[in-house]
Structure formats: C-alpha cells, structure tokens
Amino acid sequence: MTAEQRRNLHAFRGYVRKILDPTYILSYMTPWFRDDVVQHIQAEKNNKGPMEAASLFLQILLELQEEGWFRGFLDALHQAGYSGLYEAIESWDFQKIEKLEEYRLLLKRLQPEFKTTINPEDILPEISGCLINQECEEIIQISSNKGLMAGAEKMVECLLRSDKENWPKTLKLALEKEESKFSELWMVEKGAENIQMKDLEDDEMKTLDVQIVYKEEPENQNLSQNSYPSSGVPPTYSPLKPRNYQLELALPAQKGKNTIICAPTGCGKTFVSLLICEHHLKKFPQGRKGKVVFFAVQLPVYEQQKSVFSKHFERLGYKVAGISGATADNVSVEQIIENNDIIILTPQILVNSFKNGTVPSLSIFTLMIFDECHNTHKHHPYNMIMFNYLDQKLGGSSDSLPQVIGLTASVGVGDAKNTAEATEYICKLCASLDTSVVTTVRDNLEELEEVVYKPQKFFRKVESRTTDKFKCIISQLMAETEALAKSIFEELGTVTLENLSQIQNRNFGTQKYEQWIIAVQKACMVFQMPDKDEESRICKALFLYTSHLRKYNDALIINEDARVKDALNYLKNFFRNVRAAGFDAIEQDLTQRFEEKLLELEDISMDPSNENPKLEDLSFVLQEEYHLNPETRTILFAKTRALVDALKNWIEEHPRLSFLKPGVLTGRGRTNQTMGMTLPAQKCALDAFRTNRDSKILIATSVADEGIDIAQCNLVILYEYVGNVIKMIQTRGRGRARGSKCFLLTSNADVIEKEEINICKEKMMNDSISSLQSWNEAVFKEKILQIQSHEKLIRDNQGKVKPVLDKKNKKLLCRKCKTFACYTADIRVVEECHFTVVKDAFRERFVTKLHPRPQNFGSFEKKAKIFCARKDCLHDWGIHVRYKAFEIPVIKIESFVVEDVATGAQTLYAKWKDFNFEKIPFDAAEMYNHAQDLNLQGMDGLE
C-alpha cells in the first residue's frame, strides 16, 4: 500500500464510518486481525453501535504495517457485499455515495412513521439486494423475536448504511407494490427538499422534549468520563475546585500522616487522592523528587485511574505510567518505576517484583496509595506489599519508608458482633496499613449530603413458583443419574456413593448440592483398585455422571431466578457440546434420557403459567420507576454470569422493557461454565452506559460494586444479591442521584435478614470509627505497634516451618480416566512457574487441537491445547507452546492425580506450589537432545 492510499483512506474515513459495519467483514480479514482485536471491535459494536466500531476498525487498519492488507480490505468489502463502498475506494470517487446523503436525511426524519406503518417482512424480498446478507437475516430475526416495529427500526438502520446507489428508488418501488401509504412520503424523484421543514422541526422538538439529559452536580467530578463534545475534540483541561469536605478528607494526609480515608462512593475520593499527590510532589525541595505509586486491584479501575492521573498530572510536567498484568510482559518494571513520578499498578506486579528482585525495597517510593484498601488482609497482594513494609519498619532498617494512604467506602467489621469487636477489627486493618488516622467527613457533613445522596432502601419479599414442572422433571433426571452412579458402587460392594462425602441433606438445585458433587469428584479421583483398567473405567464413569449432575444443578439454579427458557437453553447447549465431543456409551445414554424429556420441557418453557413470579415483580419495579421518571438510570446486580445473561435476554425480549437496551458487565476470570469479559469488552460496556442515553440499564455481577466509576444512577436493584457490609455499602453507593432508590428483591427471608444485619453492622462500624477518632493519637499508635509486632511474630514462626522436600519419584495420572501420563522425574520447571515434560514418550500420551485464542505471553507463544490421548477421555491437560527454539507442552497439575510409586497412595493438588516435589529447572542443552522427537513436526496432530 502506498502512502497516498493510506492518506486517502484516512481522508475519506467519514464515508466509511457511515456505511461499514466492520463485524460483517472481519471473518475475511483474519490474516491481519488477531482474535482479541476482533473481539474488541465486536464489543465496540455491541455497546456503542456500528459507527463507533467502524472508527475503531479504521484506526487499527491504518496502523497495520503488514504487506497486502489494503488489497485484503478491498477484497473483504467485495466478498461481504459492500459493492458501492468497494467501487468508491477503488477509484477514490465518493460522488455516488455523497448523492445518497439527502435520502438518508429524509429517511431519518421519516423514521417514526416508517416504524409504525411498515411491515418489514413484506418489503424485505424487494429491497434485499440493497442490503448485506447478514442485515437481511438480522431484520428477519428481530422481527420474529421482538416484533415488527423493532424489525422496521432495524431495517431503517440498515438502509441508512446502504452503499447501493439505487436503494432509494428500490425502496419506492417496494412501497408502491405493497400499496403502502408511506410511499406518498417517500418522494424519491423530487428529493428530500420537498418535505416541509417546519413540520419536521416540530416533530423533532416533540421527541427532544422527553429526552432530557439527566446530570446531577456530583458528575462534575466524575473524572474518568470522556466528556468530549460531538466534534470529538478534547476540551482544554481546567482544574476542578475541591469542595470543603474533600479538603477535610485530604488534610491529615497532606500533613504527612499515614491515613485511611473512609468516605461514601461517589464523593470524589479519586479527586482527594489527586489533591494529596499534588501536595506531596510539590513539597520536595529543589534537587529532590517524590515518587508515588497508586494501587488498583481490578483492571477496569486500573485503566480508569491511569487515565485520570495522566490527564491531571501531565499538564503539570509530571510523568505518569502504568503497569498491569495485561502489559507487564512487554515492559521493564524497573525502568517504568525509575523513569516516572507517578506509577499506577495492579498490586501483584509489585509482589512479583519483590520476588524476582526487580524492586529491592519500598524505599524507592515516597507515597503509596491503596484503592479499596479494605482488601488488606490475609494473603491479598495488598497485605503481601505491607508485609514487606512492616518487616522493614520493625526490622530496624534505616531506610526511609513511604507514606501510606488507604481509600475505601467501608472499612468493614468482619465477623464482629459488638462495637468492641468491630473496633478491634478496624485496628487490625489500620495495623496492616500502618495508619493511625481514620479520616471521615465530620465538619462538612451537610455539604457531603448535598453531593452524595443515600438512596432509600426497599426490601421486597417475592414468592417463588407454587408448582415447578421444570424442576420436577430435572430432579427426576438427576435422581436417575444418581442411581446410575450408585450402581457402579454396588458392583464393588465395598464403598457407596453416600460415604464418599460428609455432606448430608443435600437438595437438588442448591449450592450445597454442588459442594457435594465436587467432594465426590475429588474422592473418585484418588479412588484405587488392584485392577487399574477397572479403576479407570469406574473413575471415568463417575466423572461423567457427576459432571451431568452438576449441569442439571446449574440449570435448576438458573430456573429458580430466571425463566424456564433460559435454564433449558443452558442444558441444550451443554448436550450439544457433549455430542460434539467423544460421546461414549454413558454420554449417549444420558443424552437420550434428556432428549426423551425435551419436548415436554419445551412445552413447559412456552407455557405462560410457568412464568417466574420474581421476574414479574422485577418487571413491575422497573415499569413503575420508568413511568415515574423516564430518564431513570439503573444498575441491576445479579450473583452469577449465567443469571446476568438470562436477565439481559429476558429484558430484550420483554415487550414493555426492551426499550431499556441493557448492557452487561461481568468479571474477567474464567469459571467452569463461562469465559469472563475481556478488558476491552468491560471498557466498552462501561463507556456505553456512561455515554449512550439509550442504554438505560446495566446488569452486573460483583465486578461493578467496587471501585469502578459508573455514571450516576438513581435506581439500584439487588436481585437475589447480598454480601457483607462492605458490599452492601458499595452496591448501594452506585445509586448516587438525588431521590435514588435501592431495591432488594428476594424470595428468601434469610437474604432480607442478612441485609438487615448488614445495616446494623454499618452502624456498628460508624460508631467504632467515631470511637477511634476520639482516641489519643499516641495511644492509637501504641495499639497499632502491638498488633504489628504480634502479627510479625506469628508470620516469622510460620516462615521457619518449611515443608520437607519429597525426592521420591511419583506418577502423574489423568484425573479423569487415570491413564498414566508421566513421572515427576521427567518434569522440568520453565521460568520458575511453568512445568513441561521432557521424555519423548509423553508426546504419545496427548493429542493437540489448535488453541482458540493463540497469543504471546513473555517468552511463550501459545499455539495449541493438549488433551489426554484416550479417545473416550480427552481430558484437558494444558497447552502447547513455542518457547524460544523449542516446541513444548505445558501441563497443569489440577488435571492430574499424583500417585506414590512405592505405596500407590494418590493425592490431588490444586496448584503446583502445593506439590513439594524436587523441581528440576529447564535446561536448553538437555532439551536439544530431545528436540527432534519433541517437535510436533508442524503440529501434524492439530485439528
């Protein structure tokens, strides 16, 4: 591609943005776009629409340096059906597309009439040639699922992006063929000028009357928001004036005291930390410099704070940088810290740097700020950092220590039952952070209450289904599956399914039942018999039975809080995946049993009498609140990702709620059932909810209750969602607007009782803080020192007891089928934390499949996944990577059972660090001897 072509594409990008939906051509551009980039663009479309997705696509496209991408882009347009855009870019002549602008303007103005008068299914066959194939399919699907009006709206959206020069006339002919009254308004021959502008302006004003932009004063300090004007040009930075209560919160820290700042969500604690940092950096005399580190646990919070600190401090001449787990492999932590004044970190980065010696001491910093500092306990990375600090303090080091600031909405009280115990709990937190001051707003409470509105809280006890036919059928299937598992043990006559676990009185569809399944699976993994083939058969059978029981249990949990339809879809997806895998005799039997009930289950899912009363109550609350205030902004908290997805589908398909256009926000971690949201997807979801007034509700798991700065909401709904007092304060704090409300919806009286206990604990916490604030500071410091000395003594004694290294050779067996995998003597440790196997024979014991998300991390190039080679097992053993010059497997200990060669005793380990065997470092010279055999010869086994 020439520089001129690149310049032209940049110059004409405005036309491309209006027409192109990049998700339709991404499948043709896989040679140039990585999977994570594709996912980012898809998320941008889902959350902000095709135009923003096209902007992102073009930005990434214009940065490509690989050969052939421009031709590849043109070919992708042609293959996807963008003939007009292809022709315009090929010739750099956009006159035909420019002439369509007046018709786009006309259609936009007539959109309300189009939606209410046009049946999209009637005219789609006539105009399909003007649209992309995927667009036609989407119009049909939306019309079927959400109704004809929604389908017509989608059709308008697609026509507005059409690049076919004949679409206005084709639409006119289609309307006339159907004798639609709308054809009288669609005056193609005369153009858009003939529409009387006065009437249209009146219509627009009527629409705008109900689209009030709701903005409370506290949002003026919502520092992370991208409040650019429509031109896209960032405004000139103007420093914000601190409020009196913010100055009050900052004062002890500005005096140099180690401080915990405890103030409600939405009051601007980030802004307070900016005041503290700026004061701290400016106090140093010429020739000396301060160095600040700000810690954020969650990646979205890290990204948010890095942006805020950069905007504020770079204008003042300070250097700001950040490192997170997502970027640590590509940068030098040592150089980033050395070359910048303010460093934003996820705390594990610093913990790792202590271990590898990159950061020898905390003395390189002059100020440390811990966001959500209530996490400083047990083995949390915050506590690991503070152990280092306290060892330095109590060890008599002469090196200076940084000032410590903690930020939180709630310090919590743990398991305290009275104010004395709560005070002790808070003192321990203060000792962990070496703080002797807990700062709250006291002198400027009136001003704080004007800014942060404590929402009204309502408890709604709702009823569950009186009869649950879905649960009856699934429970029957579970009972049958349990009976099949029990029959395995009846063959043995020595052990029963019941005595494999201590958990009794388990009920289907509960967390307790899932705990029982996990306990049984663990017991089966170390179950032994003299006949190893029989042992393998029995363990594999029990693994399959319990895995199916777990899925049934999951479905019952979904059914309890969502629709039968959502629970059934969950099971149908599971059995679809089962069929696509090994599908042995046991799986065929279990699948047949399910499919025999499928028709009855389908009927139940479509029967209105089986609607969930909880959802009916949730619908009532939402409709009532949006009737009272159409500009209501809602965060709906749910406890699992599966429930978040189910609620989103329910709202989108509900005829009276679909206008809410829900977004979702879930965590990044992977569970047994689902992959988490990627960081770009999380950012897109948050940005969309902040900036898109059409998206009126965000459905979230616990990831949204802590730290993430979300646009002001006036309605928070906790749907069967409750935690400790910290979680209660944070979730409630999401409702920041004046007159905001917080609803707890539950069918469980215990949940309401727990929330009422949390309210009592909040009062207990506030009373304890007030008590501590009245203490003499010297007395407080002495109390803190006593706790620190006691905790260090315990820590030191625990550190002296080192586990005995087990040098005996052990076997690793597949955890699912008990097939022999390798000996520990053949395992080598790569870069201290990755484990490979060097014996040639090991490659015969696994098969590989291309990794769905290949990527590089550090010195590793992830290429494939590896599985047990037994066709009736295929248990996930780990990944296959390129490491420097070698192709090697990397195994995970949780996929194996460890067997003592001498005694036959079997043990399970969740992490490599728990398995204290003799770990031999990876040696390149040794590997060269095996390289020829270990290489997968172009990955012949990949599927």
Side-chain angles (χ1 to χ4, degrees), residues 484-517:
L484 290 168
K486 287 175 182 176
S487 67
I488 297 285
F489 287 102
E490 288 171 6
E491 298 174 25
L492 303 174
T494 54
V495 66
T496 67
L497 186 63
E498 296 301 328
N499 61 25
L500 279 182
S501 167
Q502 300 299 313
I503 299 173
Q504 302 298 323
N505 302 320
R506 60 188 187 277
N507 294 316
F508 295 146
T510 62
Q511 293 297 326
K512 195 170 184 180
Y513 191 84
E514 177 160 348
Q515 292 165 10
W516 175 80
I517 291 171

mmCIF file of all heavy atoms in Angstrom, residues 484-517:
data_model
loop_
_atom_site.group_PDB
_atom_site.id
_atom_site.type_symbol
_atom_site.label_atom_id
_atom_site.label_comp_id
_atom_site.label_asym_id
_atom_site.label_seq_id
_atom_site.Cartn_x
_atom_site.Cartn_y
_atom_site.Cartn_z
ATOM 1 N N LEU A 484 -27.679 -44.348 38.638
ATOM 2 C CA LEU A 484 -26.682 -44.970 37.762
ATOM 3 C C LEU A 484 -25.297 -44.926 38.407
ATOM 4 O O LEU A 484 -24.520 -45.883 38.317
ATOM 5 C CB LEU A 484 -26.657 -44.249 36.413
ATOM 6 C CG LEU A 484 -27.892 -44.444 35.522
ATOM 7 C CD1 LEU A 484 -27.881 -43.457 34.366
ATOM 8 C CD2 LEU A 484 -27.950 -45.874 34.999
ATOM 9 N N ALA A 485 -25.003 -43.797 39.056
ATOM 10 C CA ALA A 485 -23.706 -43.681 39.737
ATOM 11 C C ALA A 485 -23.624 -44.657 40.905
ATOM 12 O O ALA A 485 -22.588 -45.306 41.121
ATOM 13 C CB ALA A 485 -23.505 -42.246 40.223
ATOM 14 N N LYS A 486 -24.729 -44.797 41.635
ATOM 15 C CA LYS A 486 -24.747 -45.722 42.777
ATOM 16 C C LYS A 486 -24.561 -47.171 42.322
ATOM 17 O O LYS A 486 -23.945 -47.981 43.016
ATOM 18 C CB LYS A 486 -26.059 -45.580 43.548
ATOM 19 C CG LYS A 486 -26.163 -44.297 44.358
ATOM 20 C CD LYS A 486 -27.536 -44.163 45.000
ATOM 21 C CE LYS A 486 -27.649 -42.840 45.763
ATOM 22 N NZ LYS A 486 -29.003 -42.633 46.318
ATOM 23 N N SER A 487 -25.110 -47.478 41.143
ATOM 24 C CA SER A 487 -24.999 -48.856 40.650
ATOM 25 C C SER A 487 -23.553 -49.245 40.390
ATOM 26 O O SER A 487 -23.190 -50.424 40.461
ATOM 27 C CB SER A 487 -25.821 -49.028 39.374
ATOM 28 O OG SER A 487 -25.249 -48.271 38.312
ATOM 29 N N ILE A 488 -22.719 -48.267 40.089
ATOM 30 C CA ILE A 488 -21.288 -48.536 39.889
ATOM 31 C C ILE A 488 -20.694 -49.097 41.184
ATOM 32 O O ILE A 488 -19.913 -50.052 41.176
ATOM 33 C CB ILE A 488 -20.545 -47.242 39.491
ATOM 34 C CG1 ILE A 488 -21.056 -46.716 38.143
ATOM 35 C CG2 ILE A 488 -19.034 -47.466 39.445
ATOM 36 C CD1 ILE A 488 -20.587 -47.484 36.945
ATOM 37 N N PHE A 489 -21.086 -48.490 42.294
ATOM 38 C CA PHE A 489 -20.535 -48.913 43.594
ATOM 39 C C PHE A 489 -21.141 -50.246 44.056
ATOM 40 O O PHE A 489 -20.487 -50.995 44.775
ATOM 41 C CB PHE A 489 -20.771 -47.827 44.644
ATOM 42 C CG PHE A 489 -19.874 -46.635 44.447
ATOM 43 C CD1 PHE A 489 -20.361 -45.481 43.861
ATOM 44 C CD2 PHE A 489 -18.548 -46.678 44.823
ATOM 45 C CE1 PHE A 489 -19.543 -44.386 43.661
ATOM 46 C CE2 PHE A 489 -17.720 -45.579 44.629
ATOM 47 C CZ PHE A 489 -18.209 -44.433 44.046
ATOM 48 N N GLU A 490 -22.371 -50.498 43.639
ATOM 49 C CA GLU A 490 -22.984 -51.780 44.013
ATOM 50 C C GLU A 490 -22.202 -52.952 43.424
ATOM 51 O O GLU A 490 -22.148 -54.038 43.998
ATOM 52 C CB GLU A 490 -24.441 -51.815 43.553
ATOM 53 C CG GLU A 490 -25.333 -50.900 44.383
ATOM 54 C CD GLU A 490 -26.740 -50.765 43.805
ATOM 55 O OE1 GLU A 490 -27.043 -51.484 42.811
ATOM 56 O OE2 GLU A 490 -27.532 -49.963 44.330
ATOM 57 N N GLU A 491 -21.554 -52.711 42.261
ATOM 58 C CA GLU A 491 -20.712 -53.745 41.674
ATOM 59 C C GLU A 491 -19.532 -54.075 42.591
ATOM 60 O O GLU A 491 -19.072 -55.209 42.658
ATOM 61 C CB GLU A 491 -20.167 -53.290 40.317
ATOM 62 C CG GLU A 491 -21.230 -53.024 39.254
ATOM 63 C CD GLU A 491 -20.603 -52.435 37.990
ATOM 64 O OE1 GLU A 491 -19.396 -52.689 37.778
ATOM 65 O OE2 GLU A 491 -21.287 -51.733 37.239
ATOM 66 N N LEU A 492 -19.061 -53.013 43.290
ATOM 67 C CA LEU A 492 -17.869 -53.196 44.125
ATOM 68 C C LEU A 492 -18.217 -53.821 45.471
ATOM 69 O O LEU A 492 -17.509 -54.678 45.982
ATOM 70 C CB LEU A 492 -17.188 -51.848 44.357
ATOM 71 C CG LEU A 492 -16.766 -51.080 43.099
ATOM 72 C CD1 LEU A 492 -16.246 -49.704 43.476
ATOM 73 C CD2 LEU A 492 -15.708 -51.848 42.332
ATOM 74 N N GLY A 493 -19.307 -53.322 46.064
ATOM 75 C CA GLY A 493 -19.748 -53.853 47.352
ATOM 76 C C GLY A 493 -18.901 -53.415 48.531
ATOM 77 O O GLY A 493 -19.109 -53.870 49.656
ATOM 78 N N THR A 494 -17.934 -52.498 48.324
ATOM 79 C CA THR A 494 -17.042 -52.077 49.422
ATOM 80 C C THR A 494 -17.249 -50.638 49.832
ATOM 81 O O THR A 494 -17.001 -50.266 50.968
ATOM 82 C CB THR A 494 -15.569 -52.259 49.016
ATOM 83 O OG1 THR A 494 -15.358 -51.559 47.773
ATOM 84 C CG2 THR A 494 -15.244 -53.737 48.829
ATOM 85 N N VAL A 495 -17.710 -49.808 48.918
ATOM 86 C CA VAL A 495 -17.893 -48.389 49.211
ATOM 87 C C VAL A 495 -19.171 -47.925 48.521
ATOM 88 O O VAL A 495 -19.576 -48.489 47.513
ATOM 89 C CB VAL A 495 -16.661 -47.571 48.726
ATOM 90 C CG1 VAL A 495 -16.551 -47.610 47.224
ATOM 91 C CG2 VAL A 495 -16.727 -46.118 49.225
ATOM 92 N N THR A 496 -19.814 -46.916 49.092
ATOM 93 C CA THR A 496 -21.052 -46.390 48.492
ATOM 94 C C THR A 496 -20.860 -44.946 48.097
ATOM 95 O O THR A 496 -19.935 -44.270 48.560
ATOM 96 C CB THR A 496 -22.230 -46.471 49.484
ATOM 97 O OG1 THR A 496 -21.982 -45.556 50.565
ATOM 98 C CG2 THR A 496 -22.401 -47.877 50.019
ATOM 99 N N LEU A 497 -21.764 -44.487 47.242
ATOM 100 C CA LEU A 497 -21.718 -43.083 46.812
ATOM 101 C C LEU A 497 -21.904 -42.157 48.006
ATOM 102 O O LEU A 497 -21.297 -41.097 48.100
ATOM 103 C CB LEU A 497 -22.812 -42.828 45.759
ATOM 104 C CG LEU A 497 -22.840 -41.446 45.086
ATOM 105 C CD1 LEU A 497 -21.573 -41.210 44.292
ATOM 106 C CD2 LEU A 497 -24.057 -41.327 44.183
ATOM 107 N N GLU A 498 -22.734 -42.576 48.955
ATOM 108 C CA GLU A 498 -23.063 -41.722 50.094
ATOM 109 C C GLU A 498 -21.850 -41.467 50.988
ATOM 110 O O GLU A 498 -21.664 -40.375 51.492
ATOM 111 C CB GLU A 498 -24.193 -42.343 50.913
ATOM 112 C CG GLU A 498 -25.511 -42.465 50.157
ATOM 113 C CD GLU A 498 -26.033 -41.128 49.677
ATOM 114 O OE1 GLU A 498 -25.806 -40.106 50.360
ATOM 115 O OE2 GLU A 498 -26.671 -41.089 48.619
ATOM 116 N N ASN A 499 -21.028 -42.535 51.226
ATOM 117 C CA ASN A 499 -19.923 -42.300 52.168
ATOM 118 C C ASN A 499 -18.664 -41.745 51.512
ATOM 119 O O ASN A 499 -17.606 -41.682 52.123
ATOM 120 C CB ASN A 499 -19.600 -43.572 52.971
ATOM 121 C CG ASN A 499 -19.168 -44.733 52.088
ATOM 122 O OD1 ASN A 499 -18.668 -44.527 50.993
ATOM 123 N ND2 ASN A 499 -19.385 -45.954 52.587
ATOM 124 N N LEU A 500 -18.782 -41.327 50.241
ATOM 125 C CA LEU A 500 -17.652 -40.632 49.614
ATOM 126 C C LEU A 500 -17.571 -39.185 50.082
ATOM 127 O O LEU A 500 -16.570 -38.522 49.905
ATOM 128 C CB LEU A 500 -17.801 -40.650 48.087
ATOM 129 C CG LEU A 500 -17.358 -41.928 47.369
ATOM 130 C CD1 LEU A 500 -17.521 -41.762 45.871
ATOM 131 C CD2 LEU A 500 -15.925 -42.289 47.699
ATOM 132 N N SER A 501 -18.649 -38.664 50.647
ATOM 133 C CA SER A 501 -18.672 -37.268 51.098
ATOM 134 C C SER A 501 -19.412 -37.170 52.425
ATOM 135 O O SER A 501 -20.353 -37.911 52.689
ATOM 136 C CB SER A 501 -19.372 -36.386 50.056
ATOM 137 O OG SER A 501 -19.663 -35.117 50.596
ATOM 138 N N GLN A 502 -18.970 -36.221 53.243
ATOM 139 C CA GLN A 502 -19.599 -35.998 54.542
ATOM 140 C C GLN A 502 -20.850 -35.118 54.437
ATOM 141 O O GLN A 502 -21.583 -34.951 55.395
ATOM 142 C CB GLN A 502 -18.600 -35.319 55.500
ATOM 143 C CG GLN A 502 -17.342 -36.148 55.755
ATOM 144 C CD GLN A 502 -17.653 -37.487 56.391
ATOM 145 O OE1 GLN A 502 -18.423 -37.549 57.347
ATOM 146 N NE2 GLN A 502 -17.071 -38.555 55.862
ATOM 147 N N ILE A 503 -21.061 -34.520 53.256
ATOM 148 C CA ILE A 503 -22.177 -33.583 53.091
ATOM 149 C C ILE A 503 -23.491 -34.359 53.028
ATOM 150 O O ILE A 503 -23.675 -35.222 52.175
ATOM 151 C CB ILE A 503 -21.992 -32.733 51.823
ATOM 152 C CG1 ILE A 503 -20.702 -31.899 51.935
ATOM 153 C CG2 ILE A 503 -23.199 -31.837 51.584
ATOM 154 C CD1 ILE A 503 -20.330 -31.161 50.672
ATOM 155 N N GLN A 504 -24.394 -34.050 53.938
ATOM 156 C CA GLN A 504 -25.692 -34.728 54.016
ATOM 157 C C GLN A 504 -26.821 -33.733 53.730
ATOM 158 O O GLN A 504 -26.608 -32.530 53.643
ATOM 159 C CB GLN A 504 -25.871 -35.354 55.415
ATOM 160 C CG GLN A 504 -24.767 -36.345 55.791
ATOM 161 C CD GLN A 504 -24.707 -37.557 54.867
ATOM 162 O OE1 GLN A 504 -25.736 -38.057 54.426
ATOM 163 N NE2 GLN A 504 -23.489 -38.018 54.567
ATOM 164 N N ASN A 505 -28.038 -34.248 53.615
ATOM 165 C CA ASN A 505 -29.252 -33.418 53.431
ATOM 166 C C ASN A 505 -29.099 -32.448 52.259
ATOM 167 O O ASN A 505 -29.456 -31.280 52.346
ATOM 168 C CB ASN A 505 -29.561 -32.626 54.714
ATOM 169 C CG ASN A 505 -29.754 -33.544 55.901
ATOM 170 O OD1 ASN A 505 -30.360 -34.596 55.784
ATOM 171 N ND2 ASN A 505 -29.227 -33.127 57.048
ATOM 172 N N ARG A 506 -28.542 -32.945 51.174
ATOM 173 C CA ARG A 506 -28.361 -32.097 50.006
ATOM 174 C C ARG A 506 -29.649 -32.078 49.182
ATOM 175 O O ARG A 506 -30.295 -33.119 48.999
ATOM 176 C CB ARG A 506 -27.191 -32.612 49.167
ATOM 177 C CG ARG A 506 -27.402 -34.029 48.664
ATOM 178 C CD ARG A 506 -26.175 -34.618 47.991
ATOM 179 N NE ARG A 506 -26.455 -35.905 47.368
ATOM 180 C CZ ARG A 506 -26.458 -37.051 48.014
ATOM 181 N NH1 ARG A 506 -26.171 -37.077 49.306
ATOM 182 N NH2 ARG A 506 -26.722 -38.191 47.375
ATOM 183 N N ASN A 507 -30.010 -30.931 48.691
ATOM 184 C CA ASN A 507 -31.205 -30.795 47.860
ATOM 185 C C ASN A 507 -30.788 -30.388 46.450
ATOM 186 O O ASN A 507 -29.858 -29.603 46.275
ATOM 187 C CB ASN A 507 -32.157 -29.744 48.440
ATOM 188 C CG ASN A 507 -32.717 -30.173 49.779
ATOM 189 O OD1 ASN A 507 -33.117 -31.319 49.949
ATOM 190 N ND2 ASN A 507 -32.742 -29.266 50.745
ATOM 191 N N PHE A 508 -31.513 -30.928 45.458
ATOM 192 C CA PHE A 508 -31.231 -30.550 44.081
ATOM 193 C C PHE A 508 -31.428 -29.035 43.913
ATOM 194 O O PHE A 508 -32.337 -28.438 44.477
ATOM 195 C CB PHE A 508 -32.181 -31.278 43.119
ATOM 196 C CG PHE A 508 -32.005 -32.775 43.109
ATOM 197 C CD1 PHE A 508 -33.097 -33.614 42.927
ATOM 198 C CD2 PHE A 508 -30.752 -33.353 43.262
ATOM 199 C CE1 PHE A 508 -32.950 -34.998 42.896
ATOM 200 C CE2 PHE A 508 -30.589 -34.732 43.236
ATOM 201 C CZ PHE A 508 -31.683 -35.562 43.064
ATOM 202 N N GLY A 509 -30.569 -28.434 43.088
ATOM 203 C CA GLY A 509 -30.717 -27.008 42.775
ATOM 204 C C GLY A 509 -30.179 -26.084 43.841
ATOM 205 O O GLY A 509 -30.657 -24.958 43.969
ATOM 206 N N THR A 510 -29.181 -26.540 44.607
ATOM 207 C CA THR A 510 -28.612 -25.705 45.670
ATOM 208 C C THR A 510 -27.085 -25.682 45.575
ATOM 209 O O THR A 510 -26.474 -26.551 44.949
ATOM 210 C CB THR A 510 -29.001 -26.239 47.064
ATOM 211 O OG1 THR A 510 -28.453 -27.565 47.214
ATOM 212 C CG2 THR A 510 -30.506 -26.284 47.228
ATOM 213 N N GLN A 511 -26.479 -24.689 46.212
ATOM 214 C CA GLN A 511 -25.015 -24.622 46.286
ATOM 215 C C GLN A 511 -24.479 -25.820 47.071
ATOM 216 O O GLN A 511 -23.383 -26.323 46.794
ATOM 217 C CB GLN A 511 -24.584 -23.310 46.947
ATOM 218 C CG GLN A 511 -24.897 -22.066 46.151
ATOM 219 C CD GLN A 511 -24.155 -22.026 44.821
ATOM 220 O OE1 GLN A 511 -23.033 -22.490 44.711
ATOM 221 N NE2 GLN A 511 -24.811 -21.476 43.794
ATOM 222 N N LYS A 512 -25.246 -26.275 48.053
ATOM 223 C CA LYS A 512 -24.804 -27.410 48.869
ATOM 224 C C LYS A 512 -24.687 -28.668 48.004
ATOM 225 O O LYS A 512 -23.770 -29.480 48.203
ATOM 226 C CB LYS A 512 -25.798 -27.648 50.014
ATOM 227 C CG LYS A 512 -25.257 -28.550 51.116
ATOM 228 C CD LYS A 512 -26.182 -28.538 52.320
ATOM 229 C CE LYS A 512 -25.596 -29.356 53.466
ATOM 230 N NZ LYS A 512 -26.477 -29.362 54.649
ATOM 231 N N TYR A 513 -25.605 -28.830 47.063
ATOM 232 C CA TYR A 513 -25.525 -29.989 46.178
ATOM 233 C C TYR A 513 -24.283 -29.900 45.296
ATOM 234 O O TYR A 513 -23.594 -30.905 45.063
ATOM 235 C CB TYR A 513 -26.776 -30.079 45.298
ATOM 236 C CG TYR A 513 -26.870 -31.392 44.551
ATOM 237 C CD1 TYR A 513 -27.408 -32.519 45.152
ATOM 238 C CD2 TYR A 513 -26.383 -31.512 43.254
ATOM 239 C CE1 TYR A 513 -27.466 -33.743 44.479
ATOM 240 C CE2 TYR A 513 -26.434 -32.719 42.574
ATOM 241 C CZ TYR A 513 -26.978 -33.829 43.196
ATOM 242 O OH TYR A 513 -27.014 -35.037 42.527
ATOM 243 N N GLU A 514 -23.947 -28.703 44.825
ATOM 244 C CA GLU A 514 -22.725 -28.540 44.017
ATOM 245 C C GLU A 514 -21.487 -28.890 44.843
ATOM 246 O O GLU A 514 -20.556 -29.529 44.345
ATOM 247 C CB GLU A 514 -22.613 -27.111 43.481
ATOM 248 C CG GLU A 514 -21.325 -26.898 42.715
ATOM 249 C CD GLU A 514 -21.356 -25.701 41.784
ATOM 250 O OE1 GLU A 514 -22.437 -25.152 41.550
ATOM 251 O OE2 GLU A 514 -20.295 -25.328 41.299
ATOM 252 N N GLN A 515 -21.479 -28.480 46.130
ATOM 253 C CA GLN A 515 -20.360 -28.833 47.005
ATOM 254 C C GLN A 515 -20.242 -30.352 47.142
ATOM 255 O O GLN A 515 -19.134 -30.894 47.179
ATOM 256 C CB GLN A 515 -20.539 -28.179 48.373
ATOM 257 C CG GLN A 515 -20.410 -26.661 48.360
ATOM 258 C CD GLN A 515 -20.940 -26.025 49.626
ATOM 259 O OE1 GLN A 515 -21.234 -26.705 50.607
ATOM 260 N NE2 GLN A 515 -21.072 -24.707 49.611
ATOM 261 N N TRP A 516 -21.385 -31.024 47.211
ATOM 262 C CA TRP A 516 -21.372 -32.488 47.308
ATOM 263 C C TRP A 516 -20.767 -33.106 46.045
ATOM 264 O O TRP A 516 -19.954 -34.023 46.113
ATOM 265 C CB TRP A 516 -22.798 -33.005 47.524
ATOM 266 C CG TRP A 516 -22.891 -34.505 47.520
ATOM 267 C CD1 TRP A 516 -22.584 -35.359 48.543
ATOM 268 C CD2 TRP A 516 -23.314 -35.329 46.428
ATOM 269 N NE1 TRP A 516 -22.787 -36.659 48.163
ATOM 270 C CE2 TRP A 516 -23.236 -36.669 46.866
ATOM 271 C CE3 TRP A 516 -23.752 -35.070 45.128
ATOM 272 C CZ2 TRP A 516 -23.575 -37.742 46.050
ATOM 273 C CZ3 TRP A 516 -24.097 -36.137 44.316
ATOM 274 C CH2 TRP A 516 -24.009 -37.447 44.773
ATOM 275 N N ILE A 517 -21.158 -32.584 44.890
ATOM 276 C CA ILE A 517 -20.620 -33.091 43.617
ATOM 277 C C ILE A 517 -19.097 -32.941 43.585
ATOM 278 O O ILE A 517 -18.369 -33.865 43.225
ATOM 279 C CB ILE A 517 -21.252 -32.349 42.422
ATOM 280 C CG1 ILE A 517 -22.729 -32.720 42.285
ATOM 281 C CG2 ILE A 517 -20.506 -32.667 41.125
ATOM 282 C CD1 ILE A 517 -23.488 -31.878 41.283
#
